[in-house]
Amino acid sequence: MKCIKCRGKAQIKLPRHNARFCADHFREFFYGQVEKAIKKEKMFSFNDKILVAVSGGKDSLVLWEVLQRLGYHADGLYIDLGISDYSLRSKKLCEDFAYKRSLNLHLLSLPDMLGMGIKGISRKTRRPPCSSCGLIKRYLFNRFSLEFSYQVLATGHNLDDEAATLLGNTMHWQTGYLSRQSPVMPSNHLSMVKKVKPLYRLTEKEAASFAFLNEIDYILEECPMATGASSLIYKNALNYLEQNSPGTKQQFYWGYLKKGKEYFSHAENGIDLISCAKCHQPTVVETCAFCQLLEKIGLEKITLSSNSSTI
Ligand code: Q46
Ligand code: ZN
Ligand code: ZN
């Protein structure tokens, strides 16, 4: 098997592009796809301060690696969710990653800020763990970006994630979500930071190959709370289709962005955001869902301070 660029020994096969690459040309391909995403979707410039939401998983660490290699100003934020050993290990991996590359990593801890981890919060609020977790992460990443003057929040969502979300939203005809699904969510006047997904042109397997070739250590196990997530069922269904017809995932998601999304634009008008009476973050009701969650665990409000590990 030969690299289609240099005719050297190929290490990676990409059936969806009908291509094979050696390690160097695969890296070139990977950087190229991220740069294309950034430029095509006008995600950010070299003047912007970017905050990367890192979890210790491959996608977010790969994204951070690529952004810093391309010369962007990118810092990381890790949120310790207090999920026993899983959180300890993933935090350590993020700290080691930042230390080896002399990058700035901010740390927030739910046990420190809220007095308990996701399990405890879920018990007190009677919400499923992933629902509390999603709400808390969205809120903290957004508020932290604004309070610490980041213009853009970047997440490691890849093509598999986005295609699976699209499939789920389509299966249930979630027209509001369909109208908003995008690799870029612009900022708004109501304290919403711009959010971007620079890996949306790359698959999970490609991110894993990049991590392997660049010796990026990441947490291999799934979060112990992730069992039974419907997104995994949609991913498996899409993997089956991709195996039999390479390119299906990208045709589905990129095709949606190009041709399908506009049909749902009317569905977006239904949401009127206001400022939360307590914390001034964007919300659709008087007190935002995060402040309601705080009330349920007996807290009035929180202040954010970064426990930075800056090298
Ligand atoms: S971290 Fe949080 Fe995920 Fe774990 S508790 Fe659920 S949502 S599964 S991305
Ligand atoms: Zn090559
Ligand atoms: Zn609030």
Side-chain angles (χ1 to χ4, degrees), residues 3 5-8 21-22 25:
C3 170
K5 288 270 181 162
C6 67
R7 310 306 295 162
F21 293 119
C22 66
H25 283 116

Side-chain angles (χ1 to χ4, degrees), residues 14 61 79 87 153:
L14 300 183
L61 292 180
I79 300 175
S87 288
L153 174 67

Side-chain angles (χ1 to χ4, degrees), residues 81 83 86 118 129-134 137 222-227 229:
L81 301 167
I83 306 176
Y86 176 78
I118 285 296
C130 290
S131 149
S132 310
C133 182
K137 285 191 295 193
E222 287 279 347
C223 167
M225 313 273 186
T227 46

Side-chain angles (χ1 to χ4, degrees), residues 11-43:
Q11 289 196 29
I12 316 263
K13 202 174 160 192
L14 300 183
R16 75 188 175 106
H17 288 294
N18 198 16
R20 300 161 306 282
F21 293 119
C22 66
D24 284 347
H25 283 116
F26 174 71
R27 281 193 199 93
E28 187 183 281
F29 160 82
F30 202 93
Y31 290 127
Q33 289 297 317
V34 176
E35 278 184 302
K36 192 167 180 179
I38 294 168
K39 295 213 169 86
K40 192 171 168 8
E41 300 292 334
K42 300 186 179 62
M43 291 184 174

Side-chain angles (χ1 to χ4, degrees), residues 239-270:
N239 282 340
Y240 176 78
L241 294 172
E242 183 76 23
Q243 236 174 13
N244 288 286
S245 176
T248 300
K249 279 180 212 169
Q250 71 185 46
Q251 277 161 24
F252 182 48
Y253 183 54
W254 300 357
Y256 173 74
L257 294 177
K258 205 170 162 192
K259 298 177 186 167
K261 193 168 157 32
E262 61 180 284
Y263 290 104
F264 298 95
S265 52
H266 65 279
E268 205 176 8
N269 302 330

Side-chain angles (χ1 to χ4, degrees), residues 18-208:
N18 198 16
R20 300 161 306 282
F21 293 119
C22 66
D24 284 347
H25 283 116
F26 174 71
R27 281 193 199 93
E28 187 183 281
F29 160 82
F30 202 93
Y31 290 127
Q33 289 297 317
V34 176
E35 278 184 302
K36 192 167 180 179
I38 294 168
K39 295 213 169 86
K40 192 171 168 8
E41 300 292 334
K42 300 186 179 62
M43 291 184 174
F44 41 74
S45 73
F46 287 102
N47 298 323
D48 288 321
K49 251 179 88 186
I50 303 156
L51 186 67
V52 184
V54 287
S55 64
K58 67 177 176 319
D59 301 307
S60 54
L61 292 180
V62 162
L63 173 61
W64 200 7
E65 169 93 0
V66 172
L67 293 185
Q68 59 106 10
R69 294 246 180 170
L70 290 174
Y72 290 100
H73 178 159
D75 295 342
L77 170 60
Y78 174 83
I79 300 175
D80 178 350
L81 301 167
I83 306 176
S84 55
D85 287 356
Y86 176 78
S87 288
L88 291 178
R89 279 198 295 277
S90 53
K91 181 175 157 200
K92 174 87 171 54
L93 286 161
C94 291
E95 286 176 325
D96 290 350
F97 178 94
Y99 180 76
K100 276 186 199 155
R101 293 159 179 82
S102 302
L103 293 170
N104 183 22
L105 174 68
H106 301 285
L107 300 167
L108 291 178
S109 154
L110 297 194
D112 289 351
M113 284 190 302
L114 308 183
M116 61 190 83
I118 285 296
K119 258 193 194 164
I121 294 166
S122 162
R123 230 176 284 126
K124 285 249 179 190
T125 57
R126 299 208 179 118
R127 289 175 76 127
C130 290
S131 149
S132 310
C133 182
L135 161 66
I136 292 169
K137 285 191 295 193
R138 274 193 303 279
Y139 179 91
L140 291 178
F141 280 127
N142 188 64
R143 191 171 141 186
F144 191 94
S145 306
L146 296 165
E147 289 188 10
F148 287 80
S149 306
Y150 287 94
Q151 283 85 38
V152 188
L153 174 67
T155 58
H157 293 92
N158 56 42
L159 179 58
D160 295 54
D161 298 322
E162 293 304 291
T165 302
L166 178 59
L167 183 58
N169 288 340
T170 309
M171 298 288 274
H172 298 99
W173 292 116
Q174 301 268 23
T175 53
Y177 290 144
L178 284 167
S179 71
R180 291 190 293 280
Q181 193 177 346
S182 170
V184 177
M185 289 291 288
S187 61
N188 72 7
H189 62 289
L190 273 173
S191 308
M192 195 81 96
V193 72
K194 183 176 184 179
K195 297 184 182 77
V196 299
K197 300 169 181 174
L199 298 186
Y200 84 92
R201 303 183 63 82
L202 292 150
T203 66
E204 205 160 303
K205 265 193 195 158
E206 289 156 12

